Amino acid sequence: DIVMTQSPDSLAVSLGERATINCKSSQSLFYSSNKKNYLAWYQQKPGQPPKLLIYWASTRESGVPDRFSGSGSGTDFTLTISSLQAEDVAVYYCQQYYSTPYSFGQGTKLEIK
Amino acid sequence: EVQLVESGGGVVRPGGSLRLSCAASGFTFDDYGMSWVRQVPGKGLEWVSGINWNGGSTAYADSVKGRFTISRDNAKNSLYLQMNNLRAEDTAFYHCARDETVGTTVYWYFDLWGRGTLVTVSS
């Protein structure tokens, strides 16, 4: 099974500053036949279900603000919020969909400093 | 409105059974694979089970294999999860989620989620 590990577990960033969340997988998520990384990012606000932000490691879901970006390949990935807004306070999860069971990271709690 | 609405949660004793339902609306249900993802209150996410567009392919997490059964009824735009031999560790919110599907290929990331139904296993 693929294990997903996020860092840090929690993060406090000032409004307008950059927030960076890392995600590492125990094996490569790169599928050579289509040259895609099978990695997604989600945002979950209190009392709400998760919301898809990024898929294929770097493709932004429709309607997601462009301050959210994803990068990385293979086993190391990053979610970056370029200029933190108050509404970005949430828990963020990465998820691999390379192979079953489709596992999530433990989550990173993002707060305002 | 595009949405997923779960129902069927409740309190059940260890060893008991429950059947969860998920009603889909606002999109062509049989164009998509579907999954169940659970979350212990205040904790992280765990994928439980998935099914392709016509029910011909299913998959389960090891923690539920042999106890849970996923199914769907495309005529009713509904997804189900039959849960047997429930354990205390199955206590969680159970979310229904839509899998991205291109043609007949399911990519198991989740672009639409329901709010969840709470299952509590307790004596």
Side-chain angles (χ1 to χ4, degrees):
Chain A
D1 296 1
I2 298 175
V3 177
M4 306 298 291
T5 304
Q6 292 180 225
S7 61
D9 289 333
S10 63
L11 179 64
V13 174
S14 300
L15 290 172
E17 295 300 305
R18 179 185 300 260
T20 301
I21 299 170
N22 300 301
C23 175
K24 188 174 185 67
S25 58
S26 60
Q27 63 188 75
S28 177
L29 305 182
F30 182 75
Y31 194 40
S32 56
S33 66
N34 61 6
K35 298 193 183 336
K36 290 180 180 289
N37 286 281
Y38 283 53
L39 189 282
W41 289 96
Y42 301 86
Q43 174 193 65
Q44 187 176 30
K45 297 180 180 181
Q48 297 184 19
K51 173 188 173 183
L52 178 66
L53 295 177
I54 302 282
Y55 55 97
W56 300 126
S58 61
T59 301
R60 199 178 302 114
E61 173 72 335
S62 176
V64 172
D66 60 7
R67 64 180 180 273
F68 290 91
S69 63
S71 63
S73 184
T75 62
D76 292 281
F77 302 90
T78 300
L79 175 70
T80 301
I81 308 172
S82 60
S83 177
L84 188 71
Q85 306 299 304
E87 61 266 31
D88 301 335
V89 169
V91 179
Y92 292 84
Y93 296 93
C94 60
Q95 179 234 339
Q96 66 83 15
Y97 49 101
Y98 184 89
S99 66
T100 183
Y102 306 109
S103 44
F104 292 85
Q106 80 276 18
T108 295
K109 186 174 184 179
L110 178 58
E111 299 174 313
I112 305 295
K113 185 187 290 183
Chain B
E1 182 184 1
V2 177
Q3 64 177 354
L4 299 169
V5 179
E6 303 91 339
S7 60
V11 180
V12 61
R13 295 189 184 278
S17 298
L18 274 180
R19 188 195 196 207
L20 306 184
S21 299
C22 171
S25 59
F27 64 97
T28 305
F29 183 66
D30 57 10
D31 277 351
Y32 291 89
M34 299 293 295
S35 285
W36 289 97
V37 178
R38 68 185 180 185
Q39 184 171 33
V40 175
K43 302 297 184 183
L45 300 164
E46 180 188 15
W47 173 82
V48 171
S49 181
I51 188 168
N52 75 333
W53 69 278
N54 66 356
S57 178
T58 59
Y60 299 91
D62 286 347
S63 57
V64 306
K65 201 172 293 183
R67 301 187 298 123
F68 290 11
T69 302
I70 191 171
S71 63
R72 64 190 297 160
D73 184 338
N74 288 343
K76 296 183 178 180
N77 292 335
S78 293
L79 176 72
Y80 305 102
L81 187 67
Q82 177 66 44
M83 304 187 295
N84 297 331
N85 191 19
L86 282 159
R87 305 167 179 168
E89 55 264 36
D90 296 319
T91 295
F93 280 98
Y94 284 74
H95 296 276
C96 168
R98 187 177 74 178
D99 306 318
E100 176 62 90
T101 304
V102 178
T104 59
T105 301
V106 182
Y107 298 108
W108 302 93
Y109 62 90
F110 315 115
D111 67 351
L112 178 67
W113 295 68
R115 299 192 68 85
T117 187
L118 180 61
V119 172
T120 303
V121 185
S122 174
S123 54

